[in-house]
Amino acid sequence: MKHNFKKGLSFILAVMVAVITIMVQPFSTKAAETLDIKADSAILVDVETGKILYSKNADQALPPASMTKMMTEYLVWEAIEKGDISWDTTTQISDYPYSISANTSFSGVGLKQSQDYTVKDLYKAMAINSDNATTIALAELIAGSEGEFVKMMNKKGKEMGLPDFKFVNSTGLDNASLGDNYPEGTDPNATNLLSAESAALLAYKLIKDYPEALDISSIPVTDFDGQKIRNWNHMLPHDTTFLKQFFYEGVDGLKTGYTDLAGYCFTGSAERNGNRLISVVMKTGSEEERFQETAKLFDYGFSKFETKELFPEGYQLKDETTLPVAKGKEEKVNISTNKSVTIPVKSGQEKQYSIKYNLDKDKLNKEGELLAPIKKGEKIGTAEVVFKGDKDYGYITKDKGNTIDLVTNEAVEKSNWFMLTLGAIGDFFVDLFTTVVDWIKGLF
């Protein structure tokens, strides 16, 4: 009886250990894999490939506050590139931006009228100190009025393919805060709108088209009209003691934002070992939280992902290495991918990627054959990268994606008329012979 009791107790203990192991292990694994970002909306993007590594409500259009200024920055760079203005171009401050600068609630740099300011100085105040008045002054310089500049912003947004956006002013302030100065053609109570995906794509375009923008956005402190102005991006290497807690190695941009309606927002950019990431957090709870959550995103991207070549150029699917050819000197042609597939891959997920062929039906006859002549490198379809895991967030731009071209590896000349005639005669007799055999079989 005693032996049976011990045996029973051992069995119960073993079952308990097994149950506890099963219960604890999945939760600990889940905790390690789940990224909990305290923001209404967030996204993380690999710049080299355009791959989205993380997304939370990223298609939700929200007020971006001063992250709006990334579009103003882009249009300044574009105007300089076109030769419409230069960094040395000077302008004076009109009544509208002067009134914004004089308003203490906006914490401006204190612009003066009847004084010349260079585009370079105005841009620095906008990009580094997020100054609103200098932003308006640049908008007026480029377009004549902020209302006309807003039209340029929305037009450029469409050209960029921003999915969820609406610009009503150049700064990110609520139009209601501008009083009677709200831009002509916009609603006096409207506010700018961007989704996290749109903000990330805007940052992506700015960095790709004008990488020098990071040289300015990465400046922690600079001089402006005899005063020091500080960058609101606390993740830069500030010398102020209480800001050092937010420093993150590799951060060099890009734009903070805050209004009562928008909450605390931040579009970040960081590079480590040649790998650049863009992050966006929207409507976080505090100034500190927007940088803390951004650090979580960057930690996740830099530590969990490695850019790898999953499939080399010239990759061939097993059992689908060739296609039959009609009316050619060769009966088959080799096919393969024309580019390698290199993307950020999460640790341990390499085997969850595969390739799927999608042949262009217009290139094939009814028998599924390619018709000669065929050129070497001729596109005959696409090779689609398929991910079998739980989440694939896609790509930030339409020109990036999970498909590459499927091409022919060699040329196939069209067979001459004599060989085609012999082939046709041969096919005729084969068909005739088959018909006769079938008829004879039918007799029996």
Side-chain angles (χ1 to χ4, degrees):
M1 187 73 175
K2 196 172 183 180
H3 174 72
N4 289 338
F5 175 77
K6 287 183 177 181
K7 187 175 180 181
L9 182 60
S10 298
F11 175 77
I12 291 171
L13 289 172
V15 171
M16 289 178 67
V17 169
V19 170
I20 291 171
T21 301
I22 292 172
M23 290 177 66
V24 172
Q25 186 64 35
F27 283 106
S28 62
T29 302
K30 186 176 180 181
E33 294 297 324
T34 300
L35 187 60
D36 181 24
I37 298 299
K38 297 175 183 177
D40 280 13
S41 179
I43 197 170
L44 181 68
V45 177
D46 176 74
V47 173
E48 179 62 29
T49 62
K51 190 78 176 69
I52 300 173
L53 309 183
Y54 174 82
S55 178
K56 176 185 177 182
N57 302 325
D59 59 351
Q60 181 180 354
L62 296 169
S66 283
M67 294 196 307
T68 297
K69 293 181 175 74
M70 290 189 293
M71 178 57 86
T72 304
E73 292 176 27
Y74 188 98
L75 292 174
V76 170
W77 283 98
E78 187 176 66
I80 291 171
E81 183 180 43
K82 290 179 178 179
D84 296 336
I85 59 174
S86 73
W87 289 117
D88 296 325
T89 298
T90 60
T91 186
Q92 293 193 355
I93 308 303
S94 69
D95 291 342
Y96 168 30
Y98 177 74
S99 68
I100 295 297
S101 190
N103 190 330
T104 55
S105 64
F106 295 138
S107 303
V109 294
L111 293 177
K112 305 178 184 72
Q113 289 189 299
S114 301
Q115 178 175 322
D116 290 333
Y117 292 93
T118 65
V119 168
K120 189 64 174 286
D121 285 340
L122 294 174
Y123 183 94
K124 282 186 174 181
M126 172 181 64
I128 297 171
N129 194 239
S130 196
D131 185 79
N132 295 303
T134 54
T135 304
I136 297 167
L138 286 167
E140 291 181 337
L141 174 64
I142 291 171
S145 70
E146 190 179 22
E148 289 301 311
F149 190 79
V150 168
K151 292 178 183 178
M152 293 175 62
M153 296 173 77
N154 285 301
K155 182 181 178 182
K156 183 57 63 176
K158 289 181 181 179
E159 289 177 8
M160 289 180 173
L162 304 188
D164 311 283
F165 78 98
K166 182 181 180 181
F167 293 112
V168 298
N169 61 56
S170 63
T171 61
L173 293 170
D174 303 325
N175 267 3
S177 300
L178 303 175
D180 294 335
N181 290 312
Y182 69 90
E184 184 179 354
T186 66
D187 189 318
N189 296 309
T191 190
N192 294 310
L193 293 173
L194 280 178
S195 65
E197 184 177 357
S198 288
L201 180 53
L202 175 53
Y204 176 91
K205 293 288 188 180
L206 178 61
I207 290 173
K208 283 287 190 179
D209 295 345
Y210 305 108
E212 302 93 341
L214 294 172
D215 295 337
I216 297 176
S217 68
S218 60
I219 298 173
V221 181
T222 193
D223 294 317
F224 180 86
D225 197 22
Q227 61 181 308
K228 295 284 185 183
I229 56 173
R230 186 175 293 277
N231 201 316
W232 291 97
N233 180 358
H234 296 170
M235 302 184 85
L236 295 172
H238 289 275
D239 54 9
T240 306
T241 303
F242 78 94
L243 295 181
K244 289 183 178 180
Q245 60 179 308
F246 301 111
F247 170 73
Y248 193 96
E249 184 182 352
V251 167
D252 52 11
L254 196 56
K255 195 70 202 69
T256 59
Y258 172 77
T259 63
D260 289 340
L261 188 61
Y264 293 89
C265 311
F266 182 46
T267 298
S269 171
E271 184 178 35
R272 285 186 179 179
N273 300 318
N275 182 27
R276 180 172 294 282
L277 301 177
I278 289 173
S279 66
V280 179
V281 291
M282 301 187 73
K283 207 160 188 176
T284 65
S286 67
E287 189 173 16
E288 295 79 15
E289 194 168 68
R290 66 182 170 190
F291 300 122
Q292 292 164 351
E293 300 311 295
T294 296
K296 283 185 189 178
L297 286 169
F298 284 150
D299 283 345
Y300 178 72
F302 287 126
S303 67
K304 295 291 184 181
F305 290 84
E306 183 180 353
T307 300
K308 294 185 176 182
E309 183 185 83
L310 293 177
F311 305 100
E313 180 181 346
Y315 178 82
Q316 293 181 303
L317 263 183
K318 187 180 180 181
D319 301 327
E320 293 187 56
T321 59
T322 63
L323 270 180
V325 176
K327 299 183 179 181
K329 289 186 176 181
E330 304 293 337
E331 293 183 353
K332 295 180 180 180
V333 63
N334 286 290
I335 59 174
S336 65
T337 58
N338 71 331
K339 292 180 181 179
S340 63
V341 176
T342 302
I343 57 174
V345 179
K346 199 171 182 181
S347 303
Q349 292 188 344
E350 294 89 341
K351 294 183 179 179
Q352 296 192 52
Y353 290 88
S354 61
I355 287 282
K356 175 185 175 184
Y357 284 172
N358 297 307
L359 296 173
D360 186 350
K361 293 181 180 179
D362 293 336
K363 294 277 187 178
L364 307 175
N365 63 17
K366 294 180 180 179
E367 286 71 35
E369 302 168 312
L370 286 171
L371 186 64
I374 300 167
K375 297 178 181 179
K376 181 180 180 180
E378 184 174 336
K379 181 181 177 181
I380 48 91
T382 59
E384 180 183 359
V385 181
V386 179
F387 178 61
K388 298 177 182 178
D390 293 333
K391 293 180 180 179
D392 185 2
Y393 299 114
Y395 292 78
I396 195 68
T397 61
K398 292 180 181 179
D399 61 326
K400 304 284 185 179
N402 63 341
T403 60
I404 53 177
D405 290 347
L406 187 62
V407 299
T408 55
N409 288 7
E410 57 269 334
V412 177
E413 295 181 14
K414 187 175 182 179
S415 188
N416 60 51
W417 69 270
F418 181 72
M419 294 304 297
L420 289 174
T421 301
L422 285 180
I425 293 171
D427 289 341
F428 170 77
F429 281 110
V430 168
D431 291 341
L432 179 62
F433 179 76
T434 302
T435 302
V436 172
V437 170
D438 289 340
W439 178 75
I440 293 173
K441 286 181 178 179
L443 296 177
F444 298 95

